[in-house]
Amino acid sequence: MQQRTIGGHAVSAIGLGGMPLSIEGRPDEDRSIATIHAALDAGVTFIDTADAYHREANEVGHNEELIARALREYGSGADGVLVATKGGHLRPGDGTWTRNGDPEYLKRAAKESARRLGVDAIGLYQFHRPDPAVPYADSVGAIRDLLDEGVILMAGISNADVAQIDEAREVLGGRLVSVQNQFSPAFRSSLGELEHCAGLGIAFLPWSPLGGIKNAKDLADRHGAFQEVADQVGASVYQVTLAWELALAPVVIPIPGASRPESIRDSAGAADLVLTAEQLARLSA
């Protein structure tokens, strides 16, 4: 598969987002493991998770443990996979999401994530979402300290605007390697952040790149140009969408979620799909 770079670390151009395997509506564990293994078989070497990807209040880190198990069972072929996780979001078990950007909490959360992932140091750790109750620099300062202490090897942020990207870069002493924001045909308001990352050489990781768990099935109906191009090139509308995102900048690494092996196999194929300038312009209009 085509390769892209996160902080000097080469990864597959298409990653796997683990959230659908652990929240409401998740598949059984056998199918979840099969989905992760199908991603690896397809050449995916970047998997994104978070300690908040769970359903019940008492199963924090469900997705991290699931991914760790799948990688162990896959064997030596998973040795080069970069697993990114996040801290700062919480799920109390009632379907809602809360935030905690307290520096001491983030440090504890990262160490717990490392334990669940079974690693001495987390490959990429990201501050999940700004907490309005805590100064942003203080939260990112905890990520800096984790980096300095060797608890994490690379640092990223998520759900950040341009000003926060610049602030994080300053706090981290220029060591910010990734920004994970929502981006899809239906959600283009983070294009400014994508372009800012491209100018800085920072990886931009679109989450919900196909529109999200609830809306992905309606992508073709809501965005007819993508289906038109898909018909032209003989690919799925999902492959066309991911190929369009990849073409926006060489720093873009979409992380589509999947709950079936067939879904991630299809998504992985987008890395080899080349669209014409005319097609790309039509999709960007």
Side-chain angles (χ1 to χ4, degrees), residues 16 18 21-22 28-41 44 47 49 61-79 81 83 116-118:
L16 170 66
L21 301 176
S22 291
D28 62 47
E29 200 160 273
D30 287 345
R31 195 174 94 187
S32 294
I33 296 292
T35 300
I36 297 168
H37 287 178
L40 301 176
D41 290 343
V44 170
I47 301 177
T49 182
H62 178 278
N63 197 244
E64 293 173 324
E65 292 178 338
L66 178 71
I67 288 167
R69 178 191 157 192
L71 294 178
R72 283 195 308 270
E73 293 182 358
Y74 195 79
S76 60
D79 290 346
V81 174
V83 177
R116 286 188 291 264
L117 290 170

Side-chain angles (χ1 to χ4, degrees), residues 1-270:
M1 186 190 291
Q2 176 193 153
Q3 300 287 290
R4 297 210 163 175
T5 303
I6 300 177
H9 189 111
V11 299
S12 55
I14 300 293
L16 170 66
M19 187 176 76
L21 301 176
S22 291
I23 66 167
E24 292 81 356
R26 66 195 187 196
D28 62 47
E29 200 160 273
D30 287 345
R31 195 174 94 187
S32 294
I33 296 292
T35 300
I36 297 168
H37 287 178
L40 301 176
D41 290 343
V44 170
T45 59
F46 178 57
I47 301 177
D48 179 77
T49 182
D51 60 1
Y53 293 165
H54 61 90
R55 187 179 62 199
E56 311 301 334
N58 64 349
E59 54 176 23
V60 174
H62 178 278
N63 197 244
E64 293 173 324
E65 292 178 338
L66 178 71
I67 288 167
R69 178 191 157 192
L71 294 178
R72 283 195 308 270
E73 293 182 358
Y74 195 79
S76 60
D79 290 346
V81 174
L82 174 63
V83 177
T85 191
K86 301 182 288 294
H89 236 341
L90 300 88
R91 301 203 77 203
D94 59 0
T96 63
W97 297 77
T98 59
R99 312 182 197 189
N100 189 343
D102 176 74
E104 293 308 312
Y105 166 77
L106 289 171
K107 292 177 185 180
R108 290 194 304 272
K111 291 170 184 176
E112 282 298 299
S113 288
R115 179 188 61 78
R116 286 188 291 264
L117 290 170
V119 296
D120 295 327
I122 296 170
L124 171 60
Y125 193 72
Q126 306 154 96
F127 178 38
H128 203 155
R129 188 178 289 273
D131 180 353
V134 180
Y136 194 66
D138 290 354
S139 298
V140 178
I143 310 301
R144 176 200 59 217
D145 293 347
L146 291 165
L147 197 57
D148 292 341
E149 294 166 15
V151 177
I152 67 175
L153 301 179
M154 294 187 290
I157 54 176
S158 185
N159 301 299
D161 60 27
V162 167
Q164 289 166 333
I165 293 170
D166 289 340
E167 185 174 7
R169 287 184 72 231
E170 182 176 353
V171 172
L172 290 165
R175 295 177 291 174
L176 179 69
V177 303
S178 66
V179 174
Q180 183 178 149
N181 278 13
Q182 184 176 7
F183 186 84
S184 70
F187 191 96
R188 307 189 191 198
S189 60
S190 56
L191 181 61
E193 286 78 24
L194 186 160
E195 293 172 340
H196 193 57
C197 286
L200 296 170
I202 294 172
F204 184 86
L205 316 175
W207 61 264
S208 288
L210 302 175
I213 295 172
K214 294 180 180 179
N215 298 320
K217 66 182 183 301
D218 300 322
L219 198 159
D221 293 335
R222 297 185 180 191
H223 306 280
F226 286 81
Q227 185 60 60
E228 291 169 8
V229 172
D231 291 339
Q232 285 181 349
V233 300
S236 73
V237 69
Y238 306 113
Q239 286 185 344
V240 167
T241 300
L242 296 171
W244 166 68
E245 291 169 0
L246 288 171
L248 291 173
V251 300
V252 175
I253 304 170
I255 46 173
S259 60
R260 297 181 299 118
E262 298 83 359
S263 298
I264 190 57
R265 281 196 286 265
D266 182 74
S267 291

